[in-house]
Amino acid sequence: MHASVLSAVEIALTLALVAWMATGFTRLPGRWLRWKMFCRATFTIVTLTGTKDGRTEPVNVYDHLSPGSFILGPPQLQTILNYLTHTGRYDRVDGHGRLLNADGERPIDIRDSRVVL
């Protein structure tokens, strides 16, 4: 009889643990980043165009992040834009995209090498 009671307790604890872990994936504010591990992260997804001497070309900001990095918030994006313009690689960088965080998503613009939220 004790074996069946122990088994029932183990099953109940396992189900409780699974339910507790599953709540980490439930809906938090916003559409993105519902898992609690990502609640404080802020991501930007942008399409950029660099202009130099009247010629334009696409800019991949991820080429300028350290290896293994993928989280790009607005301050880091602004730092990369400053680097690209101050080194003379581009006269200006423009673009648009989305800012994603626990509060949801909203548009982000890059005008004349400045991040505009």
Side-chain angles (χ1 to χ4, degrees):
M1 182 162 198
H2 292 294
S4 63
V5 171
L6 182 59
S7 178
V9 170
E10 288 176 343
I11 290 172
L13 286 174
T14 302
L15 290 174
L17 179 63
V18 168
W20 177 68
M21 291 172 64
T23 61
F25 294 98
T26 59
R27 184 165 178 78
L28 293 174
R31 183 173 142 200
W32 300 95
L33 310 171
R34 294 178 187 156
W35 195 22
K36 292 179 182 181
M37 181 173 102
F38 296 113
C39 281
R40 296 185 184 181
T42 299
F43 300 90
T44 55
I45 300 172
V46 292
T47 303
L48 300 175
T49 304
T51 304
K52 176 72 173 174
D53 298 328
R55 297 176 54 196
T56 62
E57 65 181 42
V59 176
N60 183 0
V61 292
Y62 292 100
D63 287 341
H64 303 282
L65 290 176
S66 58
S69 296
F70 64 92
I71 296 178
L72 181 65
Q76 293 84 6
L77 177 58
Q78 185 62 58
T79 300
I80 293 171
L81 295 173
N82 291 342
Y83 168 77
L84 292 173
T85 55
H86 287 90
T87 59
R89 184 160 181 186
Y90 298 108
D91 297 328
R92 65 182 283 157
V93 179
D94 298 298
H96 64 281
R98 308 294 295 163
L99 176 71
L100 311 169
N101 61 21
D103 296 327
E105 69 178 89
R106 63 184 193 183
I108 184 172
D109 287 322
I110 293 82
R111 296 186 206 134
D112 197 21
S113 305
R114 292 281 171 226
V115 175
V116 180
L117 297 175

